Amino acid sequence: MKKFFKFEERQTSYKRETLAGITTFLSMAYILVVNPIILSQAGMDKGALFTATALSAIVGSLLIGLLANYPIGIAPSMGLNSFFTFSVCIGMGIEWQIALTGVFVAGIIFMILSLLKIREKIINVIPQDLKYAIASGIGFFIAFVGLKNAGIVVSNPDTFVSIGDLTSPGTGLAVVGFIITLMMLVRGINGGIFYGMVITTIIGMIAGFIDVPSSIIGSVPSLEPTFGVVFSHLGDIFTPQVLTVIFTFLFVAFFDTAGALIAVASQAGIMRDNEIPNAGRALLADSTSGVAGAIFGTSTTASFVESTAGIAVGGRTGFTAVVISICFTIALFFSPILSVITTEVTAPALIIVGALMAMEISKINWGRLEIVIPSFVTIIMMPLTSSVATGIALGFILYPFAMIAQKRFKEVHPIMYVLCVLFILYFIFV
């Protein structure tokens, strides 16, 4: 087992990997609650969605762990489930069965692109500085999500965002959890992020801010309302409207996953010569889980950037992902206890992980404007648009123009020029 997962090469252990897997699971377990809430607004069965969400996470995390040896958790994407419900089903009036079939078709196309190594090639030709920008930008994005979930940052009609009420129970709990976690990390305590989440949960229950679950074990909801519906609606996707939706699923999922892979590989220190080892296998695992998720009955899956919480605890191999998969399997039967994992509990971990990821910003060549401006736009637009894909797209548009202005156009890979044009067309027509 140790040899298969390369424990010695990546300087890790069973204890460290297990702790990392549990930490990542706790950081992304909210998807089991939130995904059914969002997708059920499109008319889907909430119970079936809970089971489909768990199963897609089990399959995806297990595949990426065994095939690519990556410490990544895979589950339905938060951005894409909102797009599925509010833009496609409610906004466009497309039935959820047809939209789900679009997710299935997009997943099949992803699998083909992965097998042909087209996705891997695109990721590997991204300039090193932009990869650092993507990794640090995701750090800022994750930190912003954590601050928002904690209520430390709230919306404001005049300034868009402002400081929240730090004395409110939930926000106060998150602040206390953040301070506890910060102190443990600074003291060099291994697993500080995980222990911080546990301590915060206990404090929340003692103080009455978090409800103590009335039961521990719950029944697994039936998958029957959503399972396999994609196969009976394949003939309904050939309309301009649905084809546009499929393209959007492809675009956003592609670069969400690319960003997560780059961030994780960079933080874990396993990127070599500007290339991500086993990227093709990781992308194949990701696309396969997307197809499986659609068959189970959930929107597009993606590699979770919350996986960096496990990386921060010490996760370095696919054994971490296997542990994540096991945790989601257990969660199927212990759904009531998930209620204690609130956003206030996970928020401190996201803020601190964001800070750790933002350290990649120091590796960018800040002495050259043709590098600085595309990198800065990539970083800043991720939290401002709440989209990893949008930040990447804007950076990819600006980078070739900046290099052309510097008469360094020969240093830009032809694929980057193609992506630049495609992204411009995407923003114009989609």
Side-chain angles (χ1 to χ4, degrees):
M1 186 80 75
K2 289 183 178 180
K3 187 176 181 181
F4 178 82
F5 288 109
K6 300 181 181 179
F7 274 27
E8 186 175 338
E9 180 183 325
R10 298 189 184 179
Q11 300 178 333
T12 189
S13 63
Y14 282 120
K15 179 181 178 181
R16 185 176 294 176
E17 295 290 306
T18 300
L19 191 61
I22 296 173
T23 300
T24 296
F25 166 74
L26 291 176
S27 297
M28 59 188 291
Y30 68 87
I31 197 66
L32 289 169
V33 178
V34 177
N35 195 52
I37 290 174
I38 292 175
L39 293 181
S40 64
Q41 295 180 61
M44 303 177 73
D45 182 83
K46 191 177 292 186
L49 284 168
F50 171 82
T51 305
T53 300
L55 289 176
S56 64
I58 292 167
V59 171
S61 301
L62 189 62
L63 282 176
I64 201 166
L66 296 179
L67 291 180
N69 199 20
Y70 267 75
I72 293 178
I74 293 179
S77 166
M78 272 299 295
L80 286 172
N81 59 11
S82 297
F83 174 75
F84 181 100
T85 296
F86 302 113
S87 295
V88 178
C89 295
I90 296 176
M92 297 181 183
I94 297 174
E95 295 180 0
W96 67 264
Q97 294 91 338
I98 298 174
L100 199 61
T101 306
V103 171
F104 174 74
V105 172
I108 294 293
I109 296 173
F110 263 147
M111 288 184 67
I112 295 171
L113 293 176
S114 299
L115 288 170
L116 296 176
K117 296 189 175 182
I118 294 174
R119 295 176 74 188
E120 181 179 3
K121 179 66 175 178
I122 291 174
I123 290 175
N124 285 333
V125 301
I126 298 173
Q128 184 71 68
D129 287 291
L130 283 185
K131 283 181 176 173
Y132 291 139
I134 291 168
S136 54
I138 290 176
F140 282 98
F141 177 43
I142 289 177
F144 180 74
V145 171
L147 291 167
K148 184 178 67 173
N149 288 348
I152 297 173
V153 170
V154 296
S155 61
N156 185 297
D158 299 319
T159 60
F160 290 105
V161 294
S162 63
I163 191 76
D165 181 6
L166 302 184
T167 62
S168 66
T171 303
L173 178 64
V175 171
V176 170
F178 177 77
I179 294 173
I180 291 172
T181 308
L182 169 66
M183 293 177 68
M184 286 195 290
L185 286 180
V186 172
R187 291 288 299 172
I189 297 175
N190 290 329
I193 293 176
F194 172 73
Y195 298 134
M197 294 171 71
V198 173
I199 294 171
T200 304
T201 301
I202 294 172
I203 293 174
M205 287 192 290
I206 292 173
F209 301 151
I210 297 176
D211 295 330
V212 178
S214 57
S215 61
I216 297 177
I217 300 176
S219 60
V220 180
S222 171
L223 199 64
E224 194 273 334
T226 60
F227 183 77
V229 298
V230 296
F231 298 116
S232 58
H233 289 82
L234 288 172
D236 299 324
I237 65 170
F238 299 103
T239 67
Q241 193 178 36
V242 178
L243 291 175
T244 300
V245 169
I246 292 173
F247 174 77
T248 303
F249 280 135
L250 280 169
F251 168 78
V252 178
F254 185 106
F255 287 99
D256 269 353
T257 296
L261 279 179
I262 291 169
V264 170
S266 179
Q267 187 180 0
I270 55 181
M271 191 181 293
R272 297 287 182 271
D273 300 322
N274 196 35
E275 293 190 357
I276 302 175
N278 291 331
R281 292 185 178 185
L283 293 167
L284 179 60
D286 178 78
S287 56
T288 303
S289 69
V291 173
I295 294 173
F296 292 141
T298 185
S299 56
T300 307
T301 60
S303 300
F304 261 53
V305 289
E306 284 88 348
S307 302
T308 50
I311 303 291
V313 172
R316 293 294 181 272
T317 75
F319 191 78
T320 292
V322 172
V323 172
I324 295 169
S325 181
I326 293 171
C327 287
F328 272 106
T329 303
I330 296 172
L332 272 172
F333 303 94
F334 292 86
S335 56
I337 206 170
L338 291 173
S339 62
V340 304
I341 307 171
T342 64
T343 54
E344 291 83 7
V345 170
T346 59
L350 296 181
I351 298 168
I352 287 175
V353 168
L356 296 175
M357 293 180 66
M359 292 170 66
E360 296 293 307
I361 202 170
S362 65
K363 299 177 182 178
I364 299 172
N365 184 356
W366 292 104
R368 305 191 68 95
L369 277 178
E370 66 271 23
I371 300 296
V372 170
I373 295 176
S375 297
F376 175 77
V377 170
T378 298
I379 293 168
I380 196 67
M381 292 306 289
M382 287 186 187
L384 291 184
T385 62
S386 294
S387 170
V388 171
T390 299
I392 292 174
L394 293 172
F396 281 21
I397 290 173
L398 293 176
Y399 182 79
F401 284 110
M403 294 297 282
I404 290 171
Q406 273 286 325
K407 298 181 179 180
R408 297 173 59 191
F409 54 89
K410 291 184 179 180
E411 298 177 30
V412 180
H413 196 282
I415 290 178
M416 291 298 294
Y417 288 114
V418 173
L419 289 174
C420 175
V421 173
L422 289 177
F423 287 141
I424 292 172
L425 293 175
Y426 174 82
F427 284 120
I428 292 174
F429 295 108
V430 177

